[in-house]
Amino acid sequence: MSKHHNDINPDSCTACTSCISHCPVTAATRKFRGPKMMGPALERMRLSQDDVEPSLEYCSNCKNCDMACPSGVPISTLNMKARAQYFKTRKQSMRDEMLGHGEKMGKLISALPAGAFFANLGMQVGKAFGIMNAIGISDKLPLTYAGTSFIKQFKELKQTSYPDKVVFYPGCFINYQDPQVGMDFVAVMQANKYEVIVEEDFVCCGSPLLVTGYLEECEQNAKKNTAIMKKWTDKGIPVITCCTSCGLMLKQEYQELFEIDGLAENAKMLYDATEFLVNLDEKGRLNKEFGAIEHRYMYHAPCHLRVQGYGLPALDLLEMIPGLTIENADAGCCGISGNYGFKADKYDIAMTVGAKLFETIKESGVDTAVCDCGTCRLQITHGAGVKAVHPMSLLRQAYEAKK
Amino acid sequence: MQKATVVVIGGGATGVGILRDLCMRGIDAVLVEQQDLAYGTSSRYHGLLHSGGRYAVKDAEAGKECIEENTILRKIGRHCVEQTEGFFVRTPLDPEDFEGKWLEACKNVGIPTIPISVEEARRLEPNLSPKIQAVYRVPDAAIDGFRMVWQNVASARKYGGRVMTYTTVVGIEQTNGEVTGITVRNTLSGVVTKIACEFVVSAAGSWAGEIAHLAGIDVNVQPDRGTLVAFNHRITSRIVNRLRPASDGDIFVPHGSITILGTTSASVKNPDDNVPTAKEVVELLKIGEALFEDIHSYRMLRAFAGTRPLYSADPNAKGRGASRGFVTLDHAHDGLKGFISVVGGKFTTYRLMAEKVTDLVCQYLNNKTACRTAEEPLVEDASPALISKAKQYFPAYGTELAASRLGSEGLEKVVKRMQDNPEKCQLLCECENVTMAEVEEAAADETSHMLSDVRRKTRMGMGTCQGAFCTFRSVGAVDAAGLAWGKDTQGLFKEFLQARWKGIRPILWGNVMRETQLTRGIYEGTLNINGAISDEGK
Amino acid sequence: MKENDVIVIGGGFSGLMAAAVAAKRGKKVTVLSLGAGTLSIASGNVDVLGYDKNGKPVANPKAGLSSVAADHPYNKIGQKSLEEAVQFFLELTKEEGYAYKGSLDQQQWIPTAAGTLKPTCLVPMTMDTSALKNASKAYIIGFESLKDFYPHLVAKNLRNMPGYDQEYEMLMVDPKLPAGRDVTNLDIARWLDSAEGRKAFVAQLRATIKPGSVAVIAPVLGTAPSHAVRDELEQALNCKFVESVVVPPGITGHRLRIMMLNHVKKLGVKVVEHAVVTRGIVENGQCTAVVTEAIDRERTYQAKSFILASGGFYGGGLVAEPGQAIEPVFNLPIAAPTTQEDWSNFQMFSNEAQPFEKIGIAVDETMRPVDADGKVLLNNVFIAGRNLCGYDFCFEKSGNGVAMASGYKAAMSV
């Protein structure tokens, strides 16, 4: 059993209210009773009584409460477990069914010839006829699919073989919606003399399943992914993600939620791409042959990165690129929180949460934001009207500028 | 001068049980209690409704009484009883040969025991130690001492019963070998009054010796202190007993959101000796490890202690050596007619004790009315319509709790307050889910004179933060509602927090230390309820 | 990168103060922080010294310094550094546009939500009581549904306080918040963050508040470290507001935290959130690095000097066990009574300090940890804040004062 598994209880909470002060959803809506109440306070009640607390659905699992807590209580995980408990005896809505199973949709679409075109068209049609709103998905945010999935593109790619290898966990968003980030990551690793291995058998990390209450399915995915990762980590080959929410799920939430052999060992070898590269630099092994990018950017640190407790390595990396200036927006959560902002009844809340970030970006006058998280990037583009790119894309650009 | 046919001394379970029984049989009675109701032993124990399994081997009679009363209380006090069932668990530290003796004894007494596998037991109670060796299910249950006492009073009041709290007995009046009344002093106002009566029934528990002494009679009650620990959450949803001869630290009882571990046993001189020590707590935890390995990582809320009223005709019997059975002493045999003491016994058998005492009084009064306390429920269930109406006002996880505490009538009053003033649906106590409306309702009761009295009625302040937040809110709310008992608010703050502090001091480490620092930070640091105010204020 | 001049362990007031001072001195600083510290739950005033060890009010903080015990942190920090720290902090607040008011020469007695007064030294302008002291009549403003502020309680007690015996009139404002969770001061502060909230507030009070008057109010004049909300409302109603201190959430404390974070980030300080420092790597009395432990793995942070501002028992910088106290990062020796009963007084509130609050790390004049004989244990580790021994901040009202001054002194010593 992992060391942290037992810690998912409310015992360290002193009811101090720090989480309430830092919860962006609480600030945005009065419908949410706040992290302390929903997490540690009601957890004590849930163990002895059965009741329904409708406000539970408002937690976005953004984890700002966990970050603010002076007592190390995994508040958001308590909430997610409670949500799963709630859905044990009740059925999710069609909306949650769809949002929880984004991977299914992605698979379906990419299997069809010209699937993405029709899917995106379908979304447009759905929007035009109000279907999206009718099932509770906001039609305001663009939910688009890529023409060719990352896995397909990767298969076509010819890599230079190197003795140093890493396994890449693309995750659903990169695979189906933003494959370019994955391709950029491979290029960056190649520039650092690493060969990238991609396992086709990886499944969705489970983050969207968790937040929509499909804890058992989430556990099935966790078991599959854990077994695959273990195959590589046993050999000392690290597993890398470019999505901070996938990374958090694989490293931390699995351990908090499930008892699966190998979780703790895998976690030791799991890296976010940016942290991996910063570590290379510390060993003097990072390729610093960056060409100049004369451009000004604003960086948004995803909440799911901040909560991982190792700072903002993307900033350290990007600051090495000549000509590039980057400023940390430091304006809190963007509001999207995975699929939260896609829900029609949460859309306004998500936009209120992100308002400060959008304003900060707009005021800065930059035309492009940088962010490690895919859905944050969607939200930034939607809310602030600027392009948003992954740090890997800029690194690749810098390497290519040197050639 | 007040008058009553019977004065009952002692506002614990037995006393209120007697009050209820007397009133139900049409006898005019008043109860006097030196502190608040359920202030003494009735709330200072683990809250176990015994199946009798614990006594079966050593004291078959007590075991038999338990299983019979257990069945009755589940019926009449269903809002006070959590039907959790219990486990008897043998650990590697316990004598194997006791198991057979115990099974045999339970069978003889009529206590059902069902063996289950260790795997099944751990599936049902995952926190149980993997080292345990044998498990039996028994019909134990958890019972809320505060609630049981309050609901007896609510029932007694319906039949004309009266209750005087913070009223201590200073004299028992007699003429020609017959009781004529008692003299009491209000401990809050200091006013001394007399109550004329024909009978005085002492159900003073550990204090019974002192009361009898007022009448010049010797009653050998030996207070035996038991220390207990309350944990912050439900670490087990069943009662867990060690399968061994009764000893320290071998019972865990879940109560709503918390779990209680008990107890120790030590003879003390003074029945008021209810201050637990850190040493006792550390020992309890050490013993508790055998059942719950991770016990040291569970957060404690507080430690508390009560004194068992052990009675023995033999003044040398002490502690667990003394009988847990009860005795009704008719002091007519000692030369004072109209004075009765009921001594010994345990919470589980309070109703039976009340019945026996009332029977005796009835005999004297030639009252032929049959006892109905075993049939009539203490409080009426709230109707489904009232419950669903209450749900519109109470926050989640609040309605059922409040309905159990308040019964139908009380719930209706609280809902009315909420209806009239929706802001009173808000929680003053966020740990135990107590609303402003319920705090006001409890504060307005004639037996409430300070915040701790409200706490005992509502559980406000008894959860995780132990008053860090609800003390301020409650003082503010009762003051705003004009219910502050004419007391200065600094005094209200201090009384409540000091009462909490008593149970926190012996366990001042880990998260309890952290919570304490938060509480002090608020009341001493920020609100400065303690510091002298300088003239230079201006 | 992970190499730094100074690593500050702890993102509370002492840690952020130390980071600001060190960064101002040109050091490359990283703060490793876990949680939001106690700032967001406290009231954001800087108490320096309100009472002597017998609980007697001290006339002014500076004069009181001579009365503190030998092992009190102020005796290590020294009056000069304390004065410099006050100066540094006041300038910082001005620079950030959220100026504090006060000096070591004058105790400020501010109203609390319990209707008492508490002595403090530096307060944000929103807690400036000078207008209140000169008024013959004042308002207490309450909010309908607010469960964390009771105007009647404030009015009833405040008029018994020396110097505050004026007439108080209660005024209730109805924020008409949408249905939902219980209403705390934070909800009201967020309501007043919004333009509609401020408009409604002014509209409800305009007719009743007499021009030129003073009003005591919960700390709800906005959540940001700025006086803009106060200024706007005061101007619109032509009156003065005095924010009182309340139970958590501590909105004024939250403002202080945001201001400090903004400030250190501007100075180039890196703040690593949610970083659990578990141990230091020490060779020959010299710390070379500290190690954080996350759920995935350990990470190492090197620096030339380290400031341990990890808090007391509450913040996790010290851990209390039966009969002993532990400092978990460097395993520094902590003197504590071995008998649990000696850790605390029988009364929670009395005229003496609580022994357990005084448990902490002993230091020399440069804030380095020392053993019982006064020998320095770590050459490049400096201690700041609540983990210092020798003071009960609740009793003597010195919480943020010690944090501020020890953070300053530690950063000046690196």
Side-chain angles (χ1 to χ4, degrees):
Chain A
M1 188 196 275
S2 75
K3 178 179 150 219
H4 291 270
H5 194 79
N6 266 338
D7 295 347
I8 306 301
N9 76 49
D11 267 358
S12 296
C13 174
T14 61
C16 79
T17 72
S18 187
C19 57
I20 302 168
S21 298
H22 291 86
C23 168
V25 177
T26 307
T29 176
R30 295 210 5 97
K31 288 178 182 157
F32 186 43
R33 291 180 74 197
K36 190 221 82 175
M37 200 65 214
M38 300 315 302
L42 286 187
E43 184 66 10
R44 297 174 69 245
M45 298 292 143
R46 287 190 283 257
L47 291 170
S48 59
Q49 277 186 74
D50 189 35
D51 204 350
V52 176
E53 171 48 70
S55 136
L56 183 59
E57 66 163 300
Y58 284 89
C59 173
S60 75
N61 197 32
C62 73
K63 299 198 176 284
N64 279 282
C65 48
D66 300 12
M67 274 186 268
C69 178
S71 312
V73 180
I75 308 163
S76 54
T77 306
L78 285 169
N79 285 345
M80 290 307 109
K81 285 187 81 166
R83 193 177 285 174
Q85 190 63 34
Y86 174 85
F87 281 116
K88 259 191 176 167
T89 50
R90 296 161 184 96
K91 208 179 146 17
Q92 282 90 342
S93 64
M94 188 209 257
R95 189 264 320 271
D96 284 3
E97 167 76 19
M98 265 181 82
L99 290 176
H101 297 84
E103 184 180 31
K104 238 189 225 167
M105 224 154 108
K107 255 189 195 149
L108 207 74
I109 290 159
S110 71
L112 299 167
F117 174 74
F118 287 110
N120 293 331
L121 189 69
M123 297 287 177
Q124 288 309 308
V125 173
K127 181 176 167 176
F129 285 94
I131 294 167
M132 303 291 273
N133 268 334
I135 60 168
I137 295 179
S138 167
D139 61 12
K140 294 178 186 134
L141 265 151
L143 199 65
T144 58
Y145 290 85
T148 314
S149 73
F150 167 74
I151 300 270
K152 275 190 198 158
Q153 292 187 39
F154 178 79
K155 274 195 208 159
E156 306 292 312
L157 185 76
K158 290 253 177 313
Q159 280 191 82
T160 311
S161 182
Y162 292 110
D164 286 336
K165 298 184 197 324
V166 293
V167 170
F168 178 50
Y169 177 90
C172 306
F173 192 85
I174 288 176
N175 195 18
Y176 298 114
Q177 283 164 298
D178 200 359
Q180 191 55 44
V181 171
M183 299 309 284
D184 293 343
F185 165 73
V186 177
V188 169
M189 293 315 290
Q190 286 270 292
N192 281 285
K193 299 193 165 32
Y194 270 87
E195 188 181 337
V196 177
I197 298 162
V198 174
E199 281 269 12
E200 277 185 58
D201 294 340
F202 275 134
V203 291
C204 168
C205 69
S207 183
L209 291 167
L210 175 67
V211 295
T212 39
Y214 296 93
L215 192 63
E216 277 164 29
E217 270 184 71
C218 181
E219 185 167 9
Q220 293 315 312
N221 285 18
K223 282 184 179 154
K224 276 185 208 157
N225 288 331
T226 302
I228 300 170
M229 285 191 281
K230 192 164 184 306
K231 214 170 67 188
W232 296 104
T233 56
D234 278 351
K235 290 184 211 159
I237 295 178
V239 179
I240 298 188
T241 55
C242 282
C243 167
T244 43
S245 296
C246 294
L248 181 72
M249 191 77 203
L250 302 174
K251 285 176 202 171
Q252 179 178 323
E253 290 175 300
Y254 280 4
Q255 290 196 63
E256 288 174 343
L257 295 164
F258 312 124
E259 286 177 63
I260 303 171
D261 275 346
L263 284 180
E265 293 72 21
N266 278 347
K268 285 193 176 63
M269 298 289 289
L270 258 159
Y271 292 87
D272 184 82
T274 53
E275 192 195 12
F276 188 80
L277 293 170
V278 167
N279 287 0
L280 283 189
D281 182 42
E282 280 177 1
K283 292 179 210 147
R285 192 178 164 323
L286 181 73
N287 174 1
K288 290 187 182 175
E289 296 294 308
F290 296 117
I293 301 178
E294 300 290 345
H295 205 86
R296 205 174 129 244
Y297 296 94
M298 181 147 274
Y299 177 70
H300 167 65
C303 304
H304 286 178
L305 168 70
R306 287 163 51 209
V307 75
Q308 292 186 41
Y310 53 81
L312 310 175
L315 281 180
D316 296 337
L317 283 174
L318 295 176
E319 278 163 4
M320 294 179 200
I321 298 174
L324 185 149
T325 49
I326 187 152
E327 194 191 327
N328 184 6
D330 196 19
C333 181
C334 74
I336 191 80
S337 218
N339 56 29
Y340 188 81
F342 285 106
K343 302 173 182 175
D345 58 334
K346 308 293 185 311
Y347 172 84
D348 288 337
I349 297 172
M351 292 304 281
T352 308
V353 169
K356 191 180 166 206
L357 175 66
F358 307 150
E359 197 186 300
T360 309
I361 293 174
K362 280 184 199 159
E363 273 177 10
S364 74
V366 299
D367 62 4
T368 309
V370 182
C371 178
D372 317 65
C373 166
T375 50
C376 291
R377 290 197 297 276
L378 279 184
Q379 172 85 340
I380 289 168
T381 301
H382 179 63
V386 299
K387 261 195 314 191
V389 299
H390 192 282
M392 287 303 126
S393 305
L394 291 182
L395 287 174
R396 178 186 195 167
Q397 199 188 326
Y399 283 130
E400 284 174 356
K402 189 73 177 181
K403 279 175 196 165
Chain B
M1 188 164 64
Q2 283 215 58
K3 272 186 191 168
T5 309
V6 184
V7 171
V8 182
I9 301 172
T14 313
V16 298
I18 294 166
L19 180 73
R20 176 179 190 239
D21 204 343
L22 287 166
C23 297
M24 281 174 75
R25 299 198 216 184
I27 298 165
D28 180 32
V30 61
L31 181 145
V32 294
E33 158 61 42
Q34 57 177 342
Q35 302 268 350
D36 186 20
L37 294 166
Y39 177 89
T41 315
S42 293
S43 66
R44 298 173 183 277
Y45 82 121
H46 42 49
L48 168 55
L49 182 62
H50 283 284
S51 59
R54 188 168 169 82
Y55 301 112
V57 171
K58 225 189 65 196
D59 192 344
E61 184 56 28
K64 192 156 170 294
E65 282 168 7
C66 282
I67 187 68
E68 286 167 6
E69 284 300 305
N70 176 309
T71 315
I72 292 168
L73 295 188
R74 281 166 191 260
K75 207 172 60 196
I76 65 152
R78 68 180 202 86
H79 294 295
C80 310
V81 178
E82 246 190 280
Q83 311 231 4
T84 60
E85 89 168 357
F87 281 172
F88 269 79
V89 176
R90 183 164 59 76
T91 79
L93 304 175
D94 305 327
E96 270 179 68
D97 59 342
F98 184 74
E99 192 171 325
K101 261 190 258 174
W102 178 78
L103 284 169
E104 183 62 28
C106 286
K107 203 174 143 205
N108 292 339
V109 175
I111 301 161
T113 55
I114 305 165
I116 64 165
S117 70
V118 166
E119 292 73 47
E120 177 64 3
R122 293 198 64 229
R123 191 187 64 77
L124 293 169
E125 295 301 343
N127 291 330
L128 275 176
S129 165
K131 294 186 189 128
I132 57 171
Q133 297 187 327
V135 184
Y136 295 87
R137 306 168 87 140
V138 296
D140 281 344
I143 184 162
D144 186 315
F146 294 111
R147 223 182 274 172
M148 184 55 103
V149 167
W150 277 106
Q151 297 189 354
N152 267 284
V153 168
S155 172
R157 277 176 171 170
K158 276 203 305 195
Y159 291 96
R162 288 165 286 154
V163 164
M164 296 162 70
T165 56
Y166 295 97
T167 300
T168 191
V169 181
V170 291
I172 294 175
E173 313 301 319
Q174 45 181 300
T175 311
N176 303 328
E178 278 187 36
V179 165
T180 56
I182 61 166
T183 308
V184 294
R185 182 169 47 82
N186 183 307
T187 60
L188 302 174
S189 65
V191 173
V192 175
T193 49
K194 285 193 195 314
I195 307 173
C197 66
E198 293 168 44
F199 291 91
V200 169
V201 176
S202 164
S206 294
W207 292 262
E210 295 180 0
I211 295 294
H213 191 71
L214 291 174
I217 291 166
D218 278 339
V219 170
N220 183 37
V221 170
Q222 170 58 56
D224 183 74
R225 192 176 67 168
T227 290
L228 305 104
V229 174
F231 293 92
N232 180 41
H233 71 276
R234 216 172 154 93
I235 58 187
T236 167
S237 47
R238 286 170 181 74
I239 286 138
V240 178
N241 304 270
R242 278 280 280 280
L243 182 42
R244 65 171 185 185
S247 182
D248 286 0
D250 49 11
I251 304 180
F252 287 82
V253 184
H255 282 278
S257 52
I258 67 164
T259 308
I260 292 174
L261 160 64
T263 61
T264 59
S265 170
S267 285
V268 288
K269 283 204 183 86
N270 181 353
D272 290 303
D273 187 350
N274 57 18
V275 182
T277 68
K279 195 165 156 275
E280 290 169 327
V281 173
V282 170
E283 278 163 13
L284 276 175
L285 294 179
K286 181 80 199 130
I287 299 165
E289 260 177 7
L291 288 169
F292 294 93
E293 274 190 323
D294 294 333
I295 193 165
H296 294 281
S297 70
Y298 303 144
R299 173 174 178 177
M300 291 179 282
L301 289 176
R302 57 193 292 102
F304 57 103
T307 49
R308 299 177 187 89
L310 298 185
Y311 171 75
S312 179
D314 165 17
N316 295 320
K318 283 199 170 131
R320 292 199 175 87
S323 165
R324 299 309 310 277
F326 67 89
V327 182
T328 302
L329 303 171
D330 183 348
H331 298 299
H333 305 303
D334 304 309
L336 181 56
K337 211 181 139 206
F339 183 39
I340 298 164
S341 295
V342 56
V343 289
K346 59 192 91 52
F347 193 99
T348 301
T349 57
Y350 89 90
R351 193 211 60 84
L352 182 62
M353 293 160 75
E355 181 178 337
K356 298 286 180 211
V357 173
T358 309
D359 284 350
L360 182 59
V361 175
C362 285
Q363 235 173 31
Y364 277 110
L365 291 171
N366 201 18
N367 179 320
K368 299 265 164 38
T369 318
C371 173
R372 286 185 295 114
T373 57
E375 286 87 41
E376 185 173 311
L378 293 174
V379 292
E380 268 175 57
D381 291 356
S383 68
L386 178 57
I387 292 277
S388 67
K389 182 175 171 194
K391 281 197 183 223
Q392 296 167 26
Y393 297 98
F394 277 95
Y397 300 90
T399 312
E400 301 290 341
L401 283 175
S404 289
R405 277 194 293 265
L406 295 159
S408 182
E409 228 172 282
L411 184 65
E412 193 136 20
K413 285 186 197 156
V414 170
V415 169
K416 173 92 174 41
R417 280 181 190 269
M418 293 171 153
Q419 239 176 329
D420 294 347
N421 213 334
E423 70 182 52
K424 296 192 172 160
C425 302
Q426 297 192 97
L427 294 176
L428 291 196
C429 170
E430 295 182 0
C431 302
E432 289 290 313
N433 255 351
V434 186
T435 61
M436 191 185 284
E438 192 178 341
V439 166
E440 284 185 8
E441 186 63 33
D445 190 279
E446 61 175 14
T447 58
S448 293
H449 303 278
M450 58 191 79
L451 268 191
S452 289
D453 299 342
V454 174
R455 166 175 65 78
R456 281 181 283 266
K457 295 179 178 93
T458 60
R459 284 196 66 78
M460 169 276 277
M462 295 175 82
T464 307
C465 82
Q466 290 284 303
F469 289 81
C470 59
T471 310
F472 172 76
R473 292 180 188 137
S474 302
V475 170
V478 298
D479 176 67
L483 296 167
W485 311 289
K487 295 207 166 84
D488 84 89
T489 50
Q490 256 86 310
L492 292 179
F493 284 126
K494 286 186 183 173
E495 180 276 322
F496 192 80
L497 290 166
Q498 177 62 27
R500 301 284 80 198
W501 176 238
K502 211 170 111 185
I504 290 166
R505 247 195 110 226
I507 55 166
L508 195 59
W509 58 81
N511 283 319
V512 179
M513 168 65 93
R514 300 181 57 247
E515 193 74 66
T516 298
Q517 291 196 317
L518 177 65
T519 306
R520 282 195 83 231
I522 293 172
Y523 293 93
E524 180 116 41
T526 298
L527 300 180
N528 200 24
I529 64 157
N530 188 44
I533 309 296
S534 166
D535 286 340
E536 286 144 74
K538 186 132 186 173
Chain C
M1 294 305 101
K2 291 179 185 173
E3 272 180 38
N4 295 276
D5 295 321
V6 181
I7 280 179
V8 179
I9 302 154
F13 190 41
S14 60
L16 294 176
M17 183 75 185
V21 173
K24 264 264 161 68
R25 293 180 62 210
K27 308 282 182 191
K28 195 175 168 205
V29 183
T30 292
V31 175
L32 301 175
S33 96
L34 176 66
T38 48
L39 277 168
S40 296
I41 55 180
S43 58
N45 313 300
V46 182
D47 302 351
V48 172
L49 191 67
Y51 296 99
D52 70 10
K53 53 179 176 282
N54 302 314
K56 193 171 161 289
V58 302
N60 71 66
K62 200 193 276 173
L65 289 178
S66 58
S67 74
V68 301
D71 64 343
H72 195 288
Y74 284 146
N75 272 331
K76 311 293 172 186
I77 296 160
Q79 186 178 320
K80 184 171 158 285
S81 294
L82 176 59
E83 284 171 355
E84 287 169 10
V86 169
Q87 209 46 44
F88 184 95
F89 178 74
L90 288 176
E91 270 162 33
L92 180 160
T93 63
K94 252 185 241 150
E95 227 175 284
E96 290 296 323
Y98 181 60
Y100 269 53
K101 184 201 171 201
S103 88
L104 285 174
D105 298 314
Q106 199 183 1
Q107 203 70 265
Q108 304 195 55
W109 292 84
I110 58 170
T112 79
T116 61
L117 298 176
K118 78 161 264 184
T120 185
C121 184
L122 312 177
V123 298
M125 287 306 196
T126 57
M127 290 187 175
D128 177 8
T129 56
S130 41
L132 181 60
K133 281 186 261 180
N134 299 322
S136 59
K137 184 190 154 180
Y139 298 104
I140 312 280
I141 296 187
F143 294 86
E144 300 290 349
S145 300
L146 171 58
K147 71 174 184 180
D148 283 345
F149 190 79
Y150 295 87
H152 184 261
L153 184 66
V154 180
K156 159 175 154 176
N157 289 329
L158 206 52
R159 66 168 64 101
N160 295 324
M161 294 292 143
Y164 283 80
D165 51 352
Q166 51 254 52
E167 207 186 308
Y168 292 97
E169 185 185 336
M170 290 183 284
L171 292 179
M172 294 302 281
V173 173
D174 188 352
K176 299 194 177 76
L177 297 177
R181 67 170 170 273
D182 293 2
V183 181
T184 67
N185 288 309
L186 186 59
D187 291 283
I188 304 292
R190 283 170 172 158
W191 179 61
L192 290 177
D193 274 342
S194 73
E196 312 86 79
R198 294 194 295 276
K199 208 175 132 201
F201 179 87
V202 170
Q204 289 187 41
L205 289 178
R206 182 166 277 145
T208 39
I209 279 203
K210 285 202 190 79
S213 58
V214 188
V216 177
I217 192 168
V220 293
L221 303 175
T223 57
S226 147
H227 291 116
V229 170
R230 180 198 68 149
D231 294 348
E232 184 186 319
L233 297 178
E234 286 189 349
Q235 211 165 9
L237 292 165
N238 187 15
C239 72
K240 289 273 172 212
F241 288 110
V242 179
E243 286 185 321
S244 61
V245 291
V246 294
V247 298
I251 293 114
T252 37
H254 191 61
R255 288 182 209 151
L256 174 59
R257 169 172 146 82
I258 302 299
M259 172 172 67
M260 294 303 292
L261 278 172
N262 288 346
H263 190 75
V264 300
K265 284 176 185 170
K266 269 183 229 160
L267 295 171
V269 173
K270 285 205 169 138
V271 179
V272 179
E273 293 172 278
H274 215 51
V276 188
V277 177
T278 51
R279 62 194 166 92
I281 299 173
V282 176
E283 286 161 28
N284 304 323
Q286 196 81 7
C287 178
T288 58
V290 289
V291 177
T292 64
E293 187 191 88
I295 201 164
D296 52 358
R297 60 188 162 269
E298 291 190 333
R299 292 175 176 85
T300 306
Y301 293 82
Q302 281 103 16
K304 297 188 186 94
S305 308
F306 298 82
I307 294 174
L308 186 68
S310 48
F313 294 118
Y314 188 81
L318 300 172
V319 177
E321 288 179 2
Q324 63 169 338
I326 292 161
E327 186 285 300
V329 176
F330 294 104
N331 203 19
L332 294 168
I334 307 291
T338 49
T339 309
Q340 192 64 35
E341 267 70 23
D342 297 337
W343 278 48
S344 59
N345 305 326
F346 277 106
Q347 295 295 321
M348 185 169 200
F349 304 104
S350 67
N351 57 358
E352 52 181 343
Q354 290 285 359
F356 66 86
E357 296 280 16
K358 293 185 174 184
I359 293 170
I361 304 168
V363 293
D364 72 354
E365 269 75 22
T366 64
M367 309 312 285
R368 290 177 299 178
V370 295
D371 64 13
D373 303 323
K375 196 180 127 243
V376 172
L377 295 164
L378 294 164
N379 291 319
N380 62 338
V381 175
F382 305 85
I383 314 296
R386 192 62 199 96
N387 51 10
L388 289 165
C389 76
Y391 75 113
D392 176 348
F393 81 93
C394 294
F395 183 76
E396 67 184 25
K397 310 289 183 288
S398 63
N400 279 345
V402 171
M404 176 189 73
S406 59
Y408 177 85
K409 186 74 181 264
M412 293 304 286
S413 305
V414 298

